[in-house]
Amino acid sequence: MTATPWQAPKLDDTLKVAIHDKMVLGRATEEMLIRMMRTGHGYFWIGGPGEEGFNVPLGLLTKKGHGPDFDYLHLHYRSSATILAMGGAPIDILRQMRSTATDPFSKGRNFVNHFAIKPWNVVPVTPTIETQYATVIGTALVQQRHGGDGLSYVTGGDAGSAEGDFWTCMNWSTRPGRELPVLILVTQNEFGISTPANQTQNNLRLNERANGFGIKNACVDGNDPIASWHALVEAMAYVRHERKPYCLQANVSRLYGHSSSSGANRYDEPDCVSLYEQRLIRENLMTQAEIKAVWDKHNAQLADDLQKVIAEPMPDKSQVLQHVWHEGPAGN
Amino acid sequence: MANLAQAIRLALHYGEENLGVTDIFGEDVGAPLGGVFTATQGLKTAWNTPLDERGIIGTALGIAYAGGKPVAEIQFCDYIYNVIDLLKLCGNVTWSSAGEYSVPMVLMTPVGSGIHGSMYHSHSFESIATHIQGWKIVMPSNPKDAYGLMLSAIAEPNPVLFLAPKALMRQKGAELIPGEPADERTLHAMIDAPLGDRSDWTPNWPPVEDYRVAIGEAKIARAGTQLTVVTYGRMLPLSVNAAETLAKEGLEIEVIDLRTIYPFDLPCVKASVEKTGRLLVINEDTEVTNFGEHIIRKVLDEAFYSLEVKPELLAGLDVPGVGLAWGYEQNSVPQADDVLAAMRRLATERA
Ligand SMILES: Cc1ncc(C[n+]2csc(CCOP(=O)(O)OP(=O)(O)O)c2C)c(N)n1
Ligand SMILES: [Mg+2]
């Protein structure tokens, strides 16, 4: 893979329509996952409906590839729209939901939306929602030494930012003369499972915690993909070229609650997809009919995908002991 | 002869030059100190981290993800407990990602008692470590094995925990590391940093060579026919000494230096027990859910009918810590006398 310098695409009308397409794909995929959970085609659902307005621009702006010239992604479990925006196949997410042996991210071992994609530097998503802030230091350190404009980004929720690794990340990435190209992303939905943010956070702008480390930071309305795009372009340009950390908070909705454990019912919170659709119509970029066609296209594809996935094999006894150890030469 | 700390240093130097080690790091690991036991002195890729164990392990895993070869250190294993979930992650990444990512990293940490370390410089960690799947765990008992095990750990594509028995750090070996100068004063002048200002100092590395101790291979440290002693680390020299004493009483005791704790060399242990009919496992970790219990269970599974007497475990007492006053350490961690007594008793017990 050749490493050309990163350049943010121009946000023109075509791209604005393409962002919508990916946001709908993200939402339709998540709604399919929830239906799968309800109809017995998966045990547990957790995902990112309500974060597409931020996660799609993030995926589209990622410098995608393998190795330190490209971005490393240390994600948590609400990042489906980012992976789909990067070109991930929805059927693979359905496979992980159903925990089939064909699930390319974990062979049915991990929850849905727990990606691991080496060709794209997506390091394994783990349910321990703080460790990603610690592992991001290592990839960023390799990139700092390597040069170029690749960065490492890490995503996490508002509640999870209380964990020590969040502070570890800020501290290690600001050591004098050893600053690291880390983009720290926090999605503020004002909940950690059931606990409202006002019981645990004295300032809902968690990005301002970065002030104590002298880290440049900002907060953006994650329900607005255009604002998110611009905020990410600015943050990424800074990290790529200054080779220093940046902390960006996106205020987002949690449209179906925390996970299937709380029922995955729809909540009355701002919906970034429908807000964006109203805007596209207002700005004469799409018609209602065109929007409906996008939904129909993705829903039809997902329905086909589901039929395929249902027919695929499940892991069996012979697979339990596979991959306990890595065989063959070391190295990623 | 190199001592154990020097042997680790020489191995890491070899790893930097020949096996792709990119980073050796931890608290006080870089200049000027080069590690609290000087095991990382003068190494070109050694650097100091913030005092933050979680950052150390997270960084190591991240470096491994990005194609590097990290050797991280936790200054004392007593301070490793706040990174257990990260160790778990290092150990499960390959399995959970169904082979997509490997974790070629080494984590070294000094373990055990014997230096009047009191509550927080005397813990053992191997029993807990063996509950963290996906790791290989090694512990040398002498400098040459330390060198050979470290090279194997560095070359291993899976995470390896390298436990260094801190009481043996200054112990010299009986055998030269290949390429090591024969005169230890020469070695000292070449690779030990001077006292005081060392800002202009660089080591003059001897041309040490590739020498590996394979992970998973035990060594018969002393051959015998009447009792099998399985041990490792600091308890190994105590056990060999005791075996030599007992030889004068006509007792021929076989001492196995496990060297790799997980996955351990069951065939070697089994063959020995089949020969002797008796098994004593010795280590200094606390006795409840002690790794020695696992060794005994495997021997019961595989060689039960070879046993003439009940197998035994000599281990630390199940107390919350090793106390500073000698009366505490002496009476809670196996000492030379305890080792000797247990070996004599088991070797002479009537079948
Ligand atoms: C280290 C750790 N502690 C606890 C949990 C259980 N848990 C899963 S999600 C969650 C709440 C996370 O809230 P937040 O960080 O705000 O992210 P959100 O789910 O709101 O996106 C908790 C407590 C966990 N997965 N990992
Ligand atoms: Mg939250």
Side-chain angles (χ1 to χ4, degrees), chain B residues 228-248:
Chain B
T228 299
V229 172
V230 176
T231 188
Y232 42 80
R234 178 182 169 227
M235 291 293 130
L236 191 277
L238 294 185
S239 301
V240 170
N241 284 346
E244 274 157 13
T245 304
L246 293 172
K248 291 175 202 139

Side-chain angles (χ1 to χ4, degrees), chain A residues 76-78 127-129 157-160 163 189 191-193 254 258:
Chain A
H76 78 319
Y77 46 75
R78 301 209 191 277
T128 51
I129 47 164
D158 54 299
E163 296 274 14
N189 59 22
F191 280 101
I193 304 189
R254 203 180 62 166
H258 177 70

